[in-house]
Amino acid sequence: MKKKIALIFGVTGQDGAYLSKFLLKKNYKVYGVKRRSSIINTSRIDDIYNDINSKSNFVLFYGDLTDSSSILSLIKKTKPDEIYNLAAQSHVQVSFEVPEYSAEVNSVGTLRILEAIKNLGLEKKVKFYQAGTSEMFGKTKEKFQNESTPFYPASPYGVSKVFAHWITVNYREAYKIFACNGVLFNHESPIRGETFVTKKIIQGLIRIKNGNQKKLFLGNLYSKRDWGHARDYVEAMWKMLQQKKPADYVIATGKTFTIKEFVNKAAKKIGFKIRWVGNGVNEKAIDIKNKKVIIECKKRYFRPVEVDYLKGNANKAKKLLKWFPKTSLDKLIDEMIRYELKFYNDKL
Ligand code: NAP
Ligand code: GDD
């Protein structure tokens, strides 16, 4: 049987790495689009690249979502059956500092891929996945967010993704492209970017335990997030493109925790006994053993507008995709800690 071909924009990111591995196991030929950077940005996929068994089915090209000509020529050259658009300026706080660039990549970049599919006459051949986000719900008051919850984005990032969502729906309706939006809630893993809060907490606490760092500085401890594992979530992306009809799906665990609860769980697992004192930006965590302050809040990590509460209802995906989250928050934290400890031990 002819191998299916996937083209992944954002292959060097967390989800790009998990999705590549997932598709290679399913016997796909995977083309990945990486962007040029001044230092090597392929650390998350080097293991696939160096693996003799998958090497010939995993090919990387340079490209950029701000560059229409590279997008068009890559789609033309690779002739994919499925395109996954995972590329984005994905950091919410950074989007307040580079709003125009975030929109350029996240919104117009998505439009560029859809236009390329249309202009190459591939509307009937290519299936398209768009990486949507729970950040689009933003300041919603709904206790569980699902596919019918109205969007109320609260950052340039969130707004840029709302454009990408609706342009994907629009091209599906106007040109009959098999295009799906995955509205994914936060998903983490050992290879999560180091400035996202889960990785920052685990990395920081382990460094403090090992004596390589004195304090961990955080922002708002009281926002709530619905955290799943990236490995589980990339499977949902693929399942969406295997259905008879294109549609949009919320992917979430249905459980929500504050950042402080995450810190408490991680600290306990790493072997700290901590006590919280103070309020707001003056809140601190003290290591009970030596009375040292190990966590402080810093104003610079608070956002101009916060998304206070996210909790997803993935019933549609459970029913139609037969997709279920497999990894609990505790298991996720355990896996992230194990990886971090190994990383430091290997460096010693
Ligand atoms: P990530 O780790 O930040 O990866 C983003 C990817 O996009 C990287 O490969 C990055 O390249 C690439 N990229 C950035 N700007 C680009 C540009 N101008 N042209 C081409 N590629 C570009 O993000 P992730 O966590 O894997 O998330 C994947 C997608 O899902 C993103 O679109 C994100 O917004 C969305 N999402 C994520 C979550 C989550 O919780 N993880 C939840 C909902 C939605 P470099 O490696 O060179 O930086
Ligand atoms: N990054 C970060 N750093 N966040 C902090 C910190 C800190 O020092 N201290 C507190 N937080 C809070 C943020 O204010 C936010 O409420 C929460 O921790 C989670 O922040 P992030 O881990 O940066 O993730 P996010 O929820 O803003 O965005 C992620 O999830 C979205 C899906 O809901 C990203 O992966 C987005 O790309 C994704 O769309």
Side-chain angles (χ1 to χ4, degrees):
M1 208 172 77
K2 195 177 155 279
K3 262 185 197 298
K4 275 200 184 171
I5 298 172
L7 176 62
I8 304 177
F9 290 91
V11 73
T12 54
Q14 168 189 259
D15 292 5
Y18 277 100
L19 182 65
S20 298
K21 280 171 202 162
F22 177 85
L23 293 176
L24 286 164
K25 273 203 189 132
K26 293 233 166 268
N27 203 27
Y28 276 60
K29 172 130 193 164
V30 176
Y31 292 108
V33 184
K34 61 172 180 172
R35 58 181 179 158
R36 143 83 187 143
S37 67
S38 66
I39 51 164
I40 290 172
N41 59 356
T42 53
S43 62
R44 292 187 176 108
I45 48 174
D46 283 343
D47 55 335
I48 316 178
Y49 207 65
N50 295 327
D51 179 351
I52 197 80
N53 297 316
S54 57
K55 209 173 181 170
S56 58
N57 288 319
F58 186 64
V59 180
L60 297 179
F61 293 107
Y62 283 106
D64 200 297
L65 278 203
T66 59
D67 184 72
S68 302
S69 62
S70 67
I71 295 171
L72 193 99
S73 71
L74 283 173
I75 297 177
K76 198 170 168 191
K77 188 166 14 191
T78 57
K79 299 184 184 62
D81 300 293
E82 295 169 10
I83 296 179
Y84 295 86
N85 178 25
L86 311 182
Q89 190 303 90
S90 72
H91 203 283
V92 173
Q93 183 148 24
V94 173
S95 78
F96 286 100
E97 288 170 41
V98 287
E100 191 180 324
Y101 177 73
S102 303
E104 189 63 44
V105 177
N106 305 356
S107 309
V108 188
T110 306
L111 172 60
R112 289 188 182 106
I113 301 177
L114 288 162
E115 265 294 284
I117 295 172
K118 174 168 85 71
N119 290 334
L120 290 167
L122 298 173
E123 302 94 320
K124 298 273 148 17
K125 179 183 178 324
V126 176
K127 293 182 175 182
F128 177 71
Y129 172 83
Q130 166 56 21
T133 164
S134 47
E135 277 291 307
M136 297 189 293
F137 298 125
K139 297 216 77 71
T140 183
K141 292 274 178 269
E142 291 192 18
K143 286 289 159 226
F144 269 106
Q145 297 96 41
N146 68 13
E147 293 78 6
S148 353
T149 305
F151 296 146
Y152 184 170
S155 65
Y157 169 80
V159 175
S160 72
K161 286 283 188 172
V162 170
F163 176 92
H165 177 95
W166 284 115
I167 203 69
T168 300
V169 172
N170 183 239
Y171 272 55
R172 177 166 79 211
E173 292 175 353
Y175 306 113
K176 311 289 174 252
I177 296 174
F178 192 112
C180 300
N181 286 292
V183 182
L184 272 53
F185 282 61
N186 297 49
H187 46 280
E188 319 292 311
S189 75
I191 56 168
R192 181 62 146 151
E194 294 175 2
T195 59
F196 295 99
V197 79
T198 57
K199 179 80 172 179
K200 184 173 165 184
I201 292 166
I202 287 171
Q203 204 170 51
L205 289 175
I206 287 178
R207 282 184 182 155
I208 294 169
K209 192 88 192 160
N210 290 347
N212 301 120
Q213 185 174 321
K214 287 206 167 77
K215 279 182 195 169
L216 170 64
F217 295 101
L218 295 173
N220 178 13
L221 299 171
Y222 293 97
S223 54
K224 290 186 131 187
R225 288 293 180 273
D226 176 334
W227 281 296
H229 197 306
R231 187 176 48 223
D232 299 346
Y233 285 38
V234 299
E235 185 177 0
M237 297 175 187
W238 174 77
K239 285 192 160 190
M240 287 177 212
L241 298 195
Q242 313 313 309
Q243 302 308 300
K244 285 216 171 75
K245 286 189 182 154
D248 307 323
Y249 299 86
V250 159
I251 300 297
T253 70
K255 298 198 170 73
T256 192
F257 298 88
T258 62
I259 309 305
K260 194 169 173 178
E261 284 168 325
F262 188 98
V263 172
N264 289 338
K265 278 177 183 289
K268 194 171 172 200
K269 287 170 189 288
I270 291 165
F272 285 108
K273 275 194 180 150
I274 57 173
R275 183 161 58 85
W276 292 95
V277 294
N279 288 307
V281 82
N282 296 318
E283 191 157 5
K284 299 174 174 50
I286 298 168
D287 182 348
I288 292 174
K289 206 165 150 195
N290 57 19
K291 312 266 184 302
K292 284 188 181 158
V293 173
I294 56 165
I295 304 174
E296 274 186 31
C297 291
K298 269 253 186 287
K299 203 161 178 278
R300 60 181 290 222
Y301 294 117
F302 285 76
R303 296 171 182 185
V305 183
E306 180 60 277
V307 170
D308 296 312
Y309 173 89
L310 291 174
K311 188 177 184 183
N313 170 351
N315 282 350
K316 180 178 174 186
K318 287 178 184 164
K319 190 164 170 229
L320 300 180
L321 303 180
K322 307 275 176 276
W323 176 87
F324 301 92
K326 293 178 190 139
T327 316
S328 67
L329 183 61
D330 276 292
K331 279 197 180 143
L332 170 67
I333 297 175
D334 289 342
E335 194 181 322
M336 291 176 79
I337 291 174
R338 266 199 312 278
Y339 177 92
E340 217 57 41
L341 288 172
K342 183 169 181 320
F343 183 81
Y344 282 104
N345 289 338
D346 288 354
K347 266 178 64 177
L348 289 177

